[in-house]
Amino acid sequence: METEFTPYWSLLGGVLIGLAATLLMALHGRIAGMTGILSGVLPPPATDWQWRAAFLAGAIVAPMVFVAAGGTIEFAVPVNTLPLIFGGFIVGIGVYFGSGCTSGHGVCGMARLSPRSIAATLVFMLAAFITVYVSRHVIGV
Amino acid sequence: MKRVSAFLIGAVFGLGIALAGMANPAKVLNFFDLAGSWDPSLVFVMGGALVTTAIGYRIVFGARQKPVLEAAFNVPASRVIDRYLVGGSALFGIGWGIAGFCPGGAIPALGLGYGETFQFVGAMIAGILAARLVNTQILQPAIARSA
């Protein structure tokens, strides 16, 4: 399935992600990592679960409002249910043991030159490139 | 105040993810498909986010001793690259390459209301909880015993 190359929208979106990361550090002193923020509201919740829940609610509501206001967000899942769920499960295990994902390691950790985050980002990006190559061009899903 | 602030910052994050195309698995998987229908858009997402955050952090840490709403900055201090970090990240990358969603892309995508996102997020939460259970009930006690 082809998708349109969207350099301007993607750059704008990236700058907004960076702005949110900067604001979360300036106001709350926290890394804007989705893994850490989400983990803190799952049972047993962290003592400071309220700001985490508020952040998650904002992250979910914003695209909803954008679409309700007439905006368009492209969305397609070119994956069947079983691999989607299997993928979700191992993403959950992986980000727990890896202590972060694209936002926490890839953006916030890389931005402050954390050696752990640089290593994690190289590993998960490489793993994703290899996985897509194997699934699409070797196995041929 | 903290909750209002976190909600609004979350909204900026979620809007950024959605506009960037990170909430769209088809687009994310195409970024990883160098040998097929490659879509380089994600280079611009990561570049824009990384440069903005690097400049933003520099300004914040240069200007302030503590965050506006909290007593202290809460930033991970560990610099140890261990097998958990590498193994976990490898597993995450494989799952990302299979499903096309990362956690930061999937949570805002919930707001678009598609069933596939709920399936992915449900499975991802199950994975986090399963890993946490294994870690706290089996791995950490074993490490404590051997220490």
Side-chain angles (χ1 to χ4, degrees), chain B residues 59-134:
Chain B
I59 293 170
V60 171
F61 292 136
R64 298 195 59 91
Q65 296 299 310
K66 67 182 199 64
V68 176
L69 300 174
E70 299 285 349
F73 289 113
N74 196 326
V75 175
S78 172
R79 299 174 73 85
V80 184
I81 298 168
D82 57 17
R83 58 189 173 170
Y84 291 102
L85 182 85
V86 174
S89 296
L91 208 53
F92 162 46
I94 293 168
W96 195 15
I98 291 171
F101 274 126
C102 60
I107 297 294
L110 289 173
L112 302 175
Y114 295 96
E116 290 98 328
T117 316
F118 288 85
Q119 292 173 338
F120 175 88
V121 170
M124 178 178 78
I125 288 173
I128 293 173
L129 292 176
R132 182 190 272 176
L133 197 67
V134 167

Side-chain angles (χ1 to χ4, degrees), chain A residues 16 19-30 32 37 49-59 62, chain B residues 1-14 67-70:
Chain A
L16 287 176
L19 185 64
T22 301
L23 288 171
L24 197 66
M25 187 57 75
L27 293 164
H28 297 260
R30 289 287 181 160
I37 293 173
W49 62 271
Q50 288 98 338
W51 76 265
R52 300 164 182 275
F55 181 95
L56 296 171
Chain B
M1 188 62 208
K2 285 180 197 173
R3 274 172 270 182
V4 174
S5 161
F7 178 85
L8 294 175
I9 296 169
V12 173
F13 181 90
V68 176
L69 300 174
E70 299 285 349

